[in-house]
Amino acid sequence: MAPPVLLSRSLDPLLGIFTGVFAYYLHETHPRTALSPEERLSALLRWKWAQHSESRKAHHRLPENTA
């Protein structure tokens, strides 16, 4: 017996991803559950990107006295 599918084998995962992203968007923007700007996903992503950029700069920085 084949597993039940809602639309098709390829559209079901896309529908699930869309539903999850939309639900998270509504959770962040709904007035009753609205998060402060520091707690939003965009702030976390900016912080992680800055941290990653700094670590890459420190890793790729050349030693100063290499003679």
Side-chain angles (χ1 to χ4, degrees):
M1 184 170 165
V5 292
L6 184 61
L7 296 173
S8 71
R9 296 182 89 182
S10 59
L11 287 178
D12 277 355
L14 295 176
L15 178 65
I17 291 170
F18 172 76
T19 304
V21 169
F22 187 59
Y24 188 77
Y25 169 77
L26 290 177
H27 170 71
E28 274 200 346
T29 59
H30 192 273
R32 186 170 22 161
T33 60
L35 303 172
S36 65
E38 304 88 36
E39 295 177 339
R40 290 196 173 191
L41 182 61
S42 58
L44 174 65
L45 292 176
R46 277 194 298 273
W47 175 75
K48 286 299 270 185
W49 184 260
Q51 188 180 27
H52 176 69
S53 297
E54 287 297 319
S55 69
R56 283 181 50 99
K57 285 179 187 176
H59 179 70
H60 293 294
R61 193 172 294 142
L62 295 175
E64 293 181 8
N65 293 326
T66 58

